[in-house]
Every structure is written in structure tokens, then in C-alpha cells.
Amino acid sequence: MTRIKLTSKEKSELVIEGIVTIVLLLLLNLAIIVIARQIINESYTLENIIFGVKDVLAKTFFDSSFYSLGTAFMFFLGVIDLAVLFWRLIRRYKQMQLRHIISELHYIANGNYDHRIPFELSGDLGKVVESINGLVDSTVEAIEEERKIEQSKDELITNISHDIRTPLTSIIGYLGLIEDKQYHSEEELLKYTHTAYSKSKQMKVLVDDLFEYTKVRQPSTPIQAIQFDMEQLLDQIAIDFELDAHKKGMSIEVTTHPSPFIMEGDTEKLVRVFNNLISNALKYGKGGKQIILQAEKIGSEAVITIMNDGPTIPENSLSHLFDRFYRVEESRNQETGGTGLGLAIAQSIVVLHGGYIYAKSENHWTSFVMHLPLKQKIDTL
């Protein structure tokens, strides 16, 4: 921060302001003295009172040879003149400061949002400068956030277009072959229709995930919070995935503490979170033998962990797992048919519940850890 430096023109303005003020004050003083003398000379009573006061003061406090009531009056006028001169110069100086501030503000308004008013001022003008700089900072943050949102929308559209175009091209291609009767047997026809059907389902999964993602990303999305037993919920989910886990040579184990585990939340949305996490464990946990669902109560939180002993995730990928369309290996999408939105949806649902989720991969275990409040502050519907 720096102090305002006046230009030569502004300094000249101050000098002229001072000279004009002094001249006006001298003329005013002269007028006051003339009027005062005229009043005193025309009023014998007032003149007698003044001379009486003068004699008393002279005898009591001062030597009459040094004392003059006129001198005291002139001194009084001089003090007032100095106060008026100081006030007018300060007022003009503050007007100049305000002009500098307005000039800086115009410079910022012309698009120079990285600039801040650099003046160090006291009083109200200092507060004005601080407020303007704070407002500019907030505006820049809002603009940057808006840019990120627009960039995020563009990336979302690009990724969706890419992921939809691939199965759509296959569907159009195979249906075109059927339309042109370019098949040699009923078996080949069924193969074409099956492929088109499979690609259609893949597109539907993407559209459904996209719809769910955009819905849970809205802060205004309502939470249908009810009281439920987390232990029963995890047991039911384990049963639902038991057959798929068995096909992949994996087992699902549930442990909770305490038992029963009573908490509040939107069970429909939480089931979506668990389904996404367990589906990922089954898809990417190749070679693993176990999927463990743990829930424990710590203070006012429920800490739920979904872990598997499949291949670990590289350290540099852990912080990006919840980014939409992010995949540790791009080739996995073709192998598993995933949309890349599952973990982003899971994170958004956890955030809606007032919690947070993170991943860690160490000691041959990959874990997704959720912290959820036991009681929801959101009003139940």
C-alpha cells in the first residue's frame, strides 16, 4: 500500500485554494472589525461595559501597558481563520484523494481485474478503499467460478458426446446391415440385433447415470431422511450382490458396531452409493477374494468403509477417483462398460447428507471411507 502522491497541478490547486481562503478571511475579518467598531461607537452603554471589563481584567491579571482587548479579539479571529483555512485545505485534499480513487476504480472497471487500489488511507476513505478491493476480489472469484462452471459444462458435453457416439455408431451400423438385409443366416441376424440391443442398454446406463448425476449435484435436491438400521441395510446389499461376487470368486462380509446400528438418512440414495462402490469392487478388484463392508459409530458420525483386496490404485490417481468420467485406465471402460460417473454420483450423495468420502489404497487393500452424520439436519419430507 502507498500514500497518494499529488500531481503538480493538484499541488497548485491547493496553493491557490489556500491563497483565496486567506484573502477571503482577511476581507471578512476587516468587515467584522469595522462593523464591531461601528456598533461600539454608536452604543454608549455597550462601550462603557467593554471599557469596564477591560479595566477589571487589566488590574487583576495584566499590566495595562501590555494588554489590549482589541489584541485579544484579533488573536481570537486569527485562531478561527487558521481553523477555517485548515478545514478548507483538508476538504480539498480529500476531494483529490476521492478523484484518485475514482480513477483507479474506472481502471479496474475497464477489465483490469487483477489490479487493486493501492492507496493507504485512514478514516472513511480508507474503509471505502478496503470495501472496493474486497468487492473486486469477490467479483473476480465469482467470475473465475463462472468460468470453471462453463468449462465444466463444456467438458461434460464433450465427454457425453464421446461416450454416446461410440455405442450409437455401433447401433446404427448393425441396424443398417439388417435394414439392407446384409446377413446370411438367422444366426447372424440375431447376432446383429443382440449387439445393437447391448449397445442400446449401454447408452441407457449412461443416460440414467447422467440424469442421476445432474440431479444429486443440485444443492436443493431433497433428502428423504428416515431412521433406519445400517446393519440391516448392509446385510441386504450383501445378499443382493452375493451371486455376482460368487461368480467372480469373491465373498462379501459385513461387520458393524454397535448392533443394531441406528442412524438417519435417505436409504434410497445411500443404496445407490453402496451399489456403485460394490460394483466397482467387483469390476476392478480382479484377483481379489474379499469385499468387506464395515460400519462403526465414532462420536456423532457413522464411518462406513467398503474395502476389497484386489489390485491397489496408484497414489496419483486416488485424488481424481471422484472426478466425473475419470478412469484409472481408459481401457477399463471398454472392458467393464462403466460410465465414469458412479463415484462422482456417490460423492454427491454423501455431500447431500452432510458427509464426505475419500479413497485409500495400501497394504493390498483398496478402501472407500464415508463419514456420515448420525442425524440429519435437513427436514424430513
Side-chain angles (χ1 to χ4, degrees), residues 60-107:
T60 307
F61 299 103
F62 304 100
D63 186 343
S64 59
S65 62
F66 294 99
Y67 176 74
S68 170
L69 192 60
T71 303
F73 181 69
M74 293 298 293
F75 176 78
F76 176 72
L77 286 180
V79 171
I80 294 178
D81 290 344
L82 288 175
V84 172
L85 176 63
F86 179 78
W87 172 76
R88 285 180 63 87
L89 291 178
I90 289 296
R91 187 185 66 168
R92 178 54 63 91
Y93 179 65
K94 287 186 178 296
Q95 290 174 347
M96 294 176 180
Q97 288 180 324
L98 188 58
R99 286 208 300 263
H100 281 268
I101 293 172
I102 293 174
S103 176
E104 294 284 333
L105 191 55
H106 283 309
Y107 180 74

Side-chain angles (χ1 to χ4, degrees), residues 33-86:
I33 292 172
V34 170
I35 293 172
R37 285 185 178 275
Q38 186 69 25
I39 293 173
I40 292 172
N41 291 334
E42 292 179 357
S43 177
Y44 295 105
T45 304
L46 181 60
E47 184 177 7
N48 291 332
I49 293 174
I50 292 175
F51 278 104
V53 171
K54 176 182 175 182
D55 290 339
V56 171
L57 292 175
K59 292 177 181 179
T60 307
F61 299 103
F62 304 100
D63 186 343
S64 59
S65 62
F66 294 99
Y67 176 74
S68 170
L69 192 60
T71 303
F73 181 69
M74 293 298 293
F75 176 78
F76 176 72
L77 286 180
V79 171
I80 294 178
D81 290 344
L82 288 175
V84 172
L85 176 63
F86 179 78

Side-chain angles (χ1 to χ4, degrees), residues 340-351:
L341 288 171
L343 291 179
I345 292 172
Q347 184 187 51
S348 297
I349 292 175
V350 171
V351 171

Side-chain angles (χ1 to χ4, degrees), residues 149-208:
I149 291 173
E150 288 299 321
Q151 183 180 1
S152 180
K153 289 179 180 178
D154 292 341
E155 291 175 355
L156 180 62
I157 293 172
T158 301
N159 287 322
I160 292 170
S161 301
H162 177 269
D163 284 359
I164 288 181
R165 183 175 58 186
T166 302
L168 186 60
T169 301
S170 297
I171 293 170
I172 294 173
Y174 282 108
L175 291 180
L177 293 175
I178 297 172
E179 179 74 15
D180 297 336
K181 300 187 184 301
Q182 295 185 26
Y183 54 88
H184 302 92
S185 63
E186 183 177 351
E187 181 181 353
E188 194 171 27
L189 172 63
L190 291 174
K191 176 183 177 182
Y192 291 167
T193 56
H194 175 73
T195 303
Y197 175 68
S198 299
K199 296 296 182 180
S200 299
K201 289 200 301 182
Q202 184 178 338
M203 284 183 59
K204 183 179 184 303
V205 170
L206 175 60
V207 172
D208 288 344

Side-chain angles (χ1 to χ4, degrees), residues 202 248 279-280 282-284 286 327 329-340:
Q202 184 178 338
K248 294 181 178 290
S279 295
N280 276 359
L282 292 173
K283 288 176 184 177
Y284 306 128
K286 294 181 179 179
R327 301 177 184 95
E329 297 175 13
E330 288 295 331
S331 60
R332 284 183 170 182
N333 184 42
Q334 298 177 353
E335 297 174 2
T336 62
T339 64

Side-chain angles (χ1 to χ4, degrees), residues 279-332:
S279 295
N280 276 359
L282 292 173
K283 288 176 184 177
Y284 306 128
K286 294 181 179 179
K289 299 298 181 183
Q290 284 184 294
I291 296 176
I292 299 177
L293 313 181
Q294 292 181 344
E296 59 178 330
K297 186 182 297 184
I298 300 179
S300 60
E301 289 185 332
V303 180
I304 300 135
T305 305
I306 288 84
M307 53 195 300
N308 70 86
D309 59 349
T312 56
I313 299 173
E315 183 70 26
N316 60 348
S317 296
L318 288 174
S319 59
H320 299 289
L321 286 177
F322 299 98
D323 296 346
R324 63 190 182 198
F325 298 110
Y326 179 82
R327 301 177 184 95
V328 178
E329 297 175 13
E330 288 295 331
S331 60
R332 284 183 170 182

Side-chain angles (χ1 to χ4, degrees), residues 227 263-265 300-301 353 372-378:
Q227 191 174 80
M263 61 177 293
E264 293 178 0
S300 60
E301 289 185 332
H353 280 77
L372 296 170
L374 294 172
K375 293 186 178 295
Q376 288 296 313
K377 295 180 180 179
I378 304 174

